[in-house]
Amino acid sequence: MRVDDKKPTIIGQMRSFAGKHWAKLSGLVTSFVMLAMLMDPVISGDGHYYFGMIRGFATHGSPALTEDVAAFVQGQTGRTLGQATFTTADGSVFGIHFFFYSLLCVPAYWLLDMLGMDTLKAFQLTNAFMISAALLYVRHAIELKPFS
């Protein structure tokens, strides 16, 4: 098989798509980010636990809910961390929730903190980027395999 006969890789196809539609893509991402930044953050359910894990990862690289994390979360959300936790043999306290989403939110948390903005918006900013990425993927997939 010659090199020219190879099918383009998904990365190559996505670069080609992004190159053709960069203005639309940037407008879409910018719209979602602006919407996320204009909305007031709403912490509901166990959101304060997820926020605590974000703070833990951002400050000490662990989802552990230390006393300083708990105090920070209470100051930001008005809610205490207590019932939905477990304590390990070494005395560390963790939330009972899976930490991956909180870990995904850490870059947004750092960015907002660096800009002096409300770090509770880390959820919204992360969601804006994930929704944008999902829509871009769907748009790309539709362009690759159009409906007949």
Side-chain angles (χ1 to χ4, degrees):
M1 175 169 41
R2 295 182 333 190
V3 174
D4 296 346
D5 293 339
K6 282 185 171 180
K7 289 185 177 181
T9 64
I10 190 72
I11 299 297
Q13 291 172 345
M14 290 175 82
R15 283 184 184 152
S16 172
F17 176 80
K20 292 177 194 171
H21 304 284
W22 68 270
K24 292 177 190 174
L25 300 178
S26 5
L28 178 73
V29 172
T30 301
S31 297
F32 280 124
V33 169
M34 292 301 293
L35 183 62
M37 299 316 297
L38 291 173
M39 294 173 56
D40 289 331
V42 176
I43 300 293
S44 61
D46 287 342
H48 59 297
Y49 286 97
Y50 287 97
F51 186 64
M53 288 187 284
I54 292 172
R55 175 69 177 188
F57 277 122
T59 58
H60 55 78
S62 164
L65 303 173
T66 60
E67 289 181 20
D68 63 312
V69 167
F72 182 81
V73 169
Q74 185 171 7
Q76 291 289 101
T77 67
R79 299 172 74 184
T80 60
L81 301 174
Q83 294 179 357
T85 62
F86 66 93
T87 305
T88 62
D90 68 355
S92 298
V93 178
F94 293 90
I96 62 170
H97 299 288
F98 186 59
F99 64 84
F100 186 69
Y101 179 60
S102 296
L103 186 59
L104 285 177
C105 292
V106 171
Y109 178 94
W110 281 335
L111 177 66
L112 293 167
D113 190 44
M114 183 176 63
L115 295 173
M117 299 176 77
D118 186 357
T119 54
L120 283 173
K121 292 185 178 190
F123 297 111
Q124 294 162 212
L125 190 56
T126 300
N127 291 345
F129 282 116
M130 289 193 313
I131 290 168
S132 296
L135 290 174
L136 295 176
Y137 176 79
V138 168
R139 175 65 180 104
H140 176 68
I142 288 171
E143 186 172 283
L144 290 178
K145 298 179 183 178
F147 297 107
S148 39

